[in-house]
Amino acid sequence: MKINDKEIKGIFQPFLPSYGYNSWTLKGEKDEELMHYLLDREQRERFVSKDFSKKESENIRIDTELSCVKETLNEIMLNVKSISDKLQIMSNPFGLEVWGQVNHKGMSTAMHKHENCFSFIYFVNAPQNCGNVNWYVNYDTKFESCQLDPSKKSLIFFPGWVPHFSMRNHSERPKIVLAGNLDFGENE
């Protein structure tokens, strides 16, 4: 598909027939700056929630107007809109539904899902053995487990309502992501 005279090439990876995730490799021109920003936010404990019983305690609050974040989100949306130009980042009373995560050695992300939306994960840094992304899909009365081995500069887009989590990071270097939720603009 072409958007603004740019060829956008994504790959559809099925979990099951006609159900799966799309992936792209981004340029990631602001990744170094974004990585330092997210590491700094994590060290200052700028988490969405300090209640560690909630999945939001893994998420780092970010400033979506900061140039490195804004430019990365623009590149993400350019690719995601190759699926549908109606997709947009969801918002709530506090701003856009976008967050960062830093998983150091031994860390993982708890299983969770996002209701009534699509989700994206952009891997700012994804060293080898940093923990696969896993989905559990209920299909024909059984559960199927599907995995993705992340790589740096990769963007994945998937149905947020499918339960997902990341495995433990076994790398000495952190896995760093920018993630968010998308809808078709019907919740305005």
Side-chain angles (χ1 to χ4, degrees):
M1 169 178 246
K2 280 192 170 189
I3 296 180
N4 298 332
D5 293 327
K6 293 181 182 177
E7 186 70 27
I8 304 294
K9 294 182 181 179
I11 299 170
F12 178 73
Q13 303 289 333
F15 299 142
L16 303 163
S18 74
Y19 207 75
Y21 66 90
N22 288 75
S23 66
W24 300 266
T25 300
L26 303 189
K27 292 178 187 171
E29 294 173 351
K30 295 290 184 176
D31 282 3
E32 194 69 27
E33 186 179 347
L34 183 57
M35 183 168 51
H36 290 294
Y37 171 69
L38 290 171
L39 285 167
D40 179 65
R41 299 288 291 174
E42 181 222 17
Q43 288 178 349
R44 293 194 205 183
E45 298 184 355
R46 302 293 193 224
F47 297 103
V48 173
S49 172
K50 294 203 179 206
D51 179 349
F52 294 110
S53 67
K54 296 181 177 179
K55 68 175 177 61
E56 292 84 6
S57 66
E58 301 169 344
N59 300 340
I60 300 168
R61 289 184 193 275
I62 60 169
D63 178 359
T64 57
E65 293 301 313
L66 186 69
S67 68
C68 65
V69 175
K70 193 172 192 171
E71 288 181 39
T72 302
L73 289 175
N74 287 340
E75 187 178 6
I76 288 168
M77 291 309 297
L78 180 68
N79 285 272
V80 168
K81 284 182 178 284
S82 70
I83 295 171
S84 170
D85 63 356
K86 294 182 180 181
L87 283 164
Q88 63 185 26
I89 297 175
M90 294 175 69
S91 60
N92 59 43
F94 304 104
L96 295 178
E97 287 193 22
V98 177
W99 58 90
Q101 283 189 349
V102 175
N103 283 355
H104 295 280
K105 185 174 184 175
M107 295 174 70
S108 61
T109 304
M111 186 181 297
H112 63 284
K113 62 184 179 176
H114 310 273
E115 298 295 332
N116 303 318
C117 66
F118 293 92
S119 298
F120 70 84
I121 304 172
Y122 174 59
F123 296 93
V124 181
N125 193 47
Q128 191 171 15
N129 298 318
C130 68
N132 288 351
V133 176
N134 292 261
W135 293 270
Y136 279 108
V137 182
N138 186 354
Y139 179 71
D140 196 24
T141 70
K142 64 181 178 182
F143 279 97
E144 295 284 337
S145 174
C146 305
Q147 293 188 6
L148 165 79
D149 186 6
S151 60
K152 187 175 181 175
K153 298 183 187 290
S154 63
L155 167 67
I156 58 172
F157 169 82
F158 58 95
W161 60 88
V162 176
H164 54 281
F165 67 97
S166 70
M167 300 292 284
R168 193 172 310 282
N169 181 0
H170 292 287
S171 171
E172 296 296 328
R173 296 187 358 240
K175 175 171 59 178
I176 301 172
V177 304
L178 183 65
N181 292 329
L182 304 159
D183 68 8
F184 288 101
E186 296 149 357
N187 297 329
E188 293 180 0

